Amino acid sequence: MKPDLFEAPDYYNLDDLFSEEHKLVRDAARQWVKRDISPIIESYAQKAEFPKQILGGLAEIGAFGPYIPETYGGAGLDQISYGLIMQEIERGDSGVRSTASVQSSLVMYPIYTYGSEEQRKKYLPKLATGELMGCFGLTEPNHGSNPSGMETKFKDAGDHYLLNGAKLWISNSPFADIAVVWAKNEDGRIQGLIVERGMDGFSTPETHNKWSLRASATGELIFDNVKVPKANLLPGKSGLGAPLGCLDSARYGIAWGAIGAAMDCYDTALRYAKERMQFGKPIAAFQLQQKKLAEMITEITKAQLLAFRLGQLKNEGKATTQQISMAKRNNVDMALKIAREARQVLGAMGITGDYSIMRHMMNLESVITYEGTHDIHLLITGADITGIPAFT
Ligand SMILES: Cc1cc2nc3c(=O)[nH]c(=O)nc-3n(C[C@H](O)[C@H](O)[C@H](O)COP(=O)(O)OP(=O)(O)OC[C@H]3O[C@@H](n4cnc5c(N)ncnc54)[C@H](O)[C@@H]3O)c2cc1C
């Protein structure tokens, strides 16, 4: 892969709106990505392998639980810092950002928000350092966009619960030490359980042959009469709203993360267009290429402003699920379109692993599908503005 010459676009001087802490946190993540991700990521994506050696670095830049209080090992940062960390990591690779998102928003967040004090103390500090890694099991073979139909269930078996069922498409599952699993109790109510690797009847086979998020490990969670201690039930919240609360937090991070992938594609295409000569001129001199680049920076700037305002609302505790949906949907779609256009600017070179664009493009095909598909987020906005849900 080519040396990482990334320069972040900031067309509307967003830096003026960030605090010193935001910029410090962002710049530390940016430097780490340049040093520890860019040189290795292409080969790990080609091998379809997660680079486990980066876990310590992710913890050091505060990517595991950025907004979890320091008393539980988190970084105690605000939501804009969280977003900026996600942006910088995804600038490197969406798969690496996925690992961090799952750990923070889908594992640490539910344990912090719905867990008992004992669960918080037992798991959060180790999750913050990466000593323990987690995954989040909501999706099932027969239930993706409609998780309320889930079939995984548990029943009271005296001094423990007995868990049965299966989850599919679970990021981090092949190496996770714990899984936050959503299952129905005997009354059909959804609750969260912490399942630990090593429990009898619990297995995590890896999913192979992905053309997307190849540097992120994805797999199944299989529960065959798993005895889960009663102390592992998340007591604070039940019902579908519990996992959806986690998804709000993760989708918010994705809204920022996608900007990172788009910035990297734009920056690569701009540099290439200024250097590549055809018909005696740099291709950047042609109007058709300028149109592509001008539209890219316009869309990135709009996405940055959307994410920044959403971050302010989140800091004030005012961001709605529907506002988060809009930002996730818009920003991922924007990034995917930019990746496709940027690839064309590079001509044949754009399909090689010498540049990051094709990898970003393929990664973003997962990002536009997980955490609520592009269509489902549109339906969320539609239901919000009309008052008429069109899901069924
Ligand atoms: C790489 C990767 C990692 C993932 N990681 C995780 C994870 O860590 N944990 C986890 O729980 N899940 C994870 N997922 C699963 C992901 O969240 C689901 O794939 C997603 O929710 C969509 O579900 P589905 O794939 O079953 O598609 P489906 O729900 O079958 O949808 C198929 C198509 O139908 C459309 N559709 C569905 N319902 C409607 C409707 N009512 N109206 C109109 N169109 C509709 C969808 O928009 C989509 O285009 C991951 C997925 C991928 C690809």
Side-chain angles (χ1 to χ4, degrees):
M1 193 162 153
K2 300 268 181 206
D4 184 352
L5 303 172
F6 176 69
E7 284 173 44
D10 182 16
Y11 205 71
Y12 262 42
N13 303 345
L14 266 175
D15 259 24
D16 295 349
L17 302 178
F18 293 137
S19 68
E20 284 311 309
E21 181 173 76
H22 293 149
K23 286 186 265 193
L24 276 173
V25 165
R26 179 199 60 194
D27 293 347
R30 188 169 291 169
Q31 288 314 316
W32 178 76
V33 167
K34 272 204 179 193
R35 196 191 63 217
D36 285 7
I37 296 299
S38 299
I40 62 150
I41 195 63
E42 179 63 26
S43 77
Y44 277 85
Q46 294 278 1
K47 288 188 283 189
E49 190 181 321
F50 175 71
K52 284 202 187 130
Q53 72 274 22
I54 67 172
L55 292 176
L58 278 168
E60 268 171 38
I61 61 165
F64 293 156
Y67 53 84
I68 300 291
E70 286 166 292
T71 36
Y72 296 107
L77 297 167
D78 78 345
Q79 292 290 321
I80 292 178
S81 290
Y82 162 44
L84 286 166
I85 293 172
M86 295 300 115
Q87 171 188 286
E88 295 305 318
I89 298 175
E90 192 148 1
R91 208 279 297 172
D93 188 77
S94 305
V96 178
R97 199 269 307 135
S98 299
T99 293
S101 284
V102 168
Q103 182 87 341
S104 297
S105 289
L106 302 181
V107 178
M108 296 178 75
Y109 175 88
I111 293 174
Y112 174 65
T113 314
Y114 313 137
S116 65
E117 191 54 24
E118 292 72 37
Q119 290 167 343
R120 288 188 194 127
K121 285 190 181 140
K122 179 175 176 188
Y123 296 108
L124 291 176
K126 288 184 180 166
L127 288 162
T129 59
E131 187 185 335
L132 277 185
M133 290 301 296
C135 67
F136 173 91
L138 181 65
T139 305
E140 298 188 353
N142 296 325
H143 304 279
S145 298
N146 178 20
S148 66
M150 70 172 64
E151 293 160 52
T152 300
K153 54 183 192 284
F154 66 97
K155 64 179 182 192
D156 196 325
D159 65 345
H160 60 267
Y161 297 116
L162 214 51
L163 178 66
N164 278 290
K167 301 286 178 180
L168 188 63
W169 295 115
I170 307 305
S171 303
N172 299 355
S173 97
F175 61 81
D177 304 288
I178 63 168
V180 170
V181 177
W182 301 95
K184 283 184 180 163
N185 65 18
E186 285 156 282
D187 298 326
R189 186 120 182 116
I190 294 171
Q191 292 195 272
L193 297 152
I194 303 169
V195 180
E196 297 183 16
R197 184 173 294 284
M199 288 180 175
D200 274 353
F202 176 42
S203 56
T204 61
E206 184 157 2
T207 301
H208 296 289
N209 296 332
K210 291 181 300 166
W211 282 111
S212 176
L213 291 192
R214 287 170 62 82
S216 156
T218 313
E220 299 172 50
L221 303 175
I222 296 173
F223 314 106
D224 180 10
N225 282 319
V226 180
K227 287 182 184 171
V228 181
K230 289 202 161 167
N232 286 27
L233 185 80
L234 296 177
K237 188 161 176 161
S238 66
L240 190 60
L244 293 186
C246 308
L247 294 179
D248 269 357
S249 177
R251 289 166 178 172
Y252 166 75
I254 293 171
W256 282 90
I259 297 170
M263 292 199 304
D264 198 48
C265 293
Y266 164 76
D267 181 63
T268 303
L270 179 63
R271 186 169 302 108
Y272 189 89
K274 290 200 272 191
E275 288 169 2
R276 173 71 174 166
M277 302 291 289
Q278 286 297 288
F279 299 95
K281 292 180 185 171
I283 59 169
F286 299 117
Q287 286 185 354
L288 283 174
Q289 303 310 316
Q290 289 195 4
K291 177 174 186 290
K292 288 190 206 301
L293 294 163
E295 286 177 351
M296 285 181 211
I297 190 62
T298 307
E299 291 307 315
I300 288 170
T301 304
K302 284 153 65 179
Q304 286 172 323
L305 293 168
L306 194 61
F308 181 76
R309 175 62 186 145
L310 187 63
Q312 288 179 321
L313 290 171
K314 257 205 141 249
N315 276 343
E316 293 163 12
K318 291 187 198 154
T320 65
T321 294
Q322 292 81 358
Q323 288 169 331
I324 294 168
S325 259
M326 181 185 280
K328 189 269 184 185
R329 181 176 188 274
N330 180 79
N331 289 9
V332 176
D333 187 51
M334 169 282 302
L336 189 50
K337 285 178 177 150
I338 285 179
R340 289 175 181 150
E341 289 291 298
R343 202 219 52 77
Q344 291 196 56
V345 173
L346 268 69
M349 287 310 295
I351 71 155
T352 71
D354 287 356
Y355 296 90
S356 56
I357 297 175
M358 190 88 179
R359 178 168 43 81
H360 283 306
M361 188 201 301
M362 297 202 301
N363 283 341
L364 288 162
E365 291 290 347
S366 285
V367 182
I368 205 165
T369 293
Y370 70 20
E371 305 270 355
T373 68
H374 191 61
D375 289 340
I376 292 294
H377 286 299
L378 179 131
L379 293 177
I380 290 172
T381 307
D384 195 36
I385 56 176
T386 63
I388 310 168
F391 298 95
T392 52

